[in-house]
Amino acid sequence: MRGRLVAAAVLVAALVAAVISLRGQVEPSVAAPPDEPAVTTTIKPPPPLLPVRPGPRSRWRTYEVPAGVSAARADPEYVVESLSDPLTRPDSSLLVLARDGSGLRLEYRPQPAGWQPVNWVIMDSTLYVTEIQLGSSDLSGRLVRVELATGQASEIPVHSVRPLSPSLASVGDELVGAGPSTTSQIEFCAIAIRPRTGQERVIACGIVMPIIEPVDGGVLIKLPDSSVAGCSIRLLLPGLSPYGVPVVVGYCWQRQIIPLGPWQVYHLDGPPAAQPLLASRAGREIRLGTAKLSVVTCHGLVYWVSGGPPDAPFGTDVLRWTPGADEVEVIYREQSGAELGWPSCAGGTLTIGRRGPAHDSSALIGLQVLDRP
């Protein structure tokens, strides 16, 4: 009996010791999951903005235009003024003036009445005009040749597209236009015409009307599509592929894209008239400033109008950038109270329309012309 009590006591002592031992230990717990790394957002800094400095003195020529002129531009030999306002001038016409002092003055008035000149190109002393028929339900368009020496006018037949859209440009001895295809109900085509021979060819077609823009010595054709890039672009230059050299661009949803060798200039799109102007090359991007409505190239340089209220379509300063330069130049500043329209370049001659007075900038009052800028 005594042996059983001793054994029981020993067992109780062992149990107590075990309990004490367990109480001295840290109870096991389920490990918490490791903290997830914090989500960080990398904000890409804006491209550097180039400084603006006064440029060298330029030899501008000033041309006054009479009341009623809605558009005008110059090339090395002529100034063409459009007295075309469908609301006030049913007898719209184009006035061609020689710049050499010879006194040549030719007024072209479309016949029969009801045709409106919209766009024009001078090539080999001949005026080529795209026109639309006022009041026409199908917006009929035509291409007309006007001999500057005699004033004789004749229509140039167009077979590949109908109606011909108002867009018109030239490259080499060809005119470039666009319109709905005559062989497909779903395509719009860019075409080239040799007006002296009547030879006509299709350059490219797409499901949206091609956008045609004159560039230095050639024509840029933008073909909107449903690709990731948003479009394809072809550059027509004399002596190269008759169907244009493909231009690789970063993105097409911009107001303008201008290829300049290794550089590309992007004019961003948006409701306000003034939008950012950027340039990129091999991953490097810079900001040139803001431009009003459109940008042009002349002799390999970029020109645009800036200044004034951001929501106004016109500006006060003409700016220039040389591809690769570390600064932007101001080459003209309007100080009379008038405003400056968007630039154009024809045959290496830069034209800026002056509009005013400031409270009525719809009226064209003159031209600032710079030859071989």
Side-chain angles (χ1 to χ4, degrees), residues 295-314:
V295 181
V296 300
T297 55
C298 240
H299 290 287
L301 309 181
V302 186
Y303 293 86
W304 68 96
V305 169
S306 189
D311 57 342
F314 308 121

Side-chain angles (χ1 to χ4, degrees), residues 5 7 21 31 107 118-119 131 133 165 202 217 248 262 270 351 365 372:
L5 292 175
S21 175
E107 183 172 4
V118 181
N119 208 340
E131 302 174 357
Q133 190 172 28
S165 79
V202 175
V248 178
T351 303
I365 60 174
R372 299 194 63 83

Side-chain angles (χ1 to χ4, degrees), residues 214-257:
V215 293
D216 252 357
V219 177
L220 199 66
I221 300 176
K222 182 176 176 181
L223 296 162
D225 56 31
S226 58
S227 66
V228 175
C231 73
S232 62
I233 291 183
R234 301 187 185 191
L235 179 62
L236 291 175
L237 291 172
L240 298 182
S241 169
Y243 300 101
V245 177
V247 177
V248 178
V249 298
Y251 199 64
C252 289
W253 302 110
Q254 314 295 353
R255 185 177 290 176
Q256 279 182 279
I257 300 173

Side-chain angles (χ1 to χ4, degrees), residues 68-79:
V69 173
S70 59
R73 60 178 180 264
D75 68 14
E77 299 181 81
Y78 305 95
V79 172

Side-chain angles (χ1 to χ4, degrees), residues 15-27:
L15 291 173
V16 172
V19 171
I20 294 173
S21 175
L22 288 173
R23 286 180 177 176
Q25 295 180 1
V26 177
E27 296 182 1

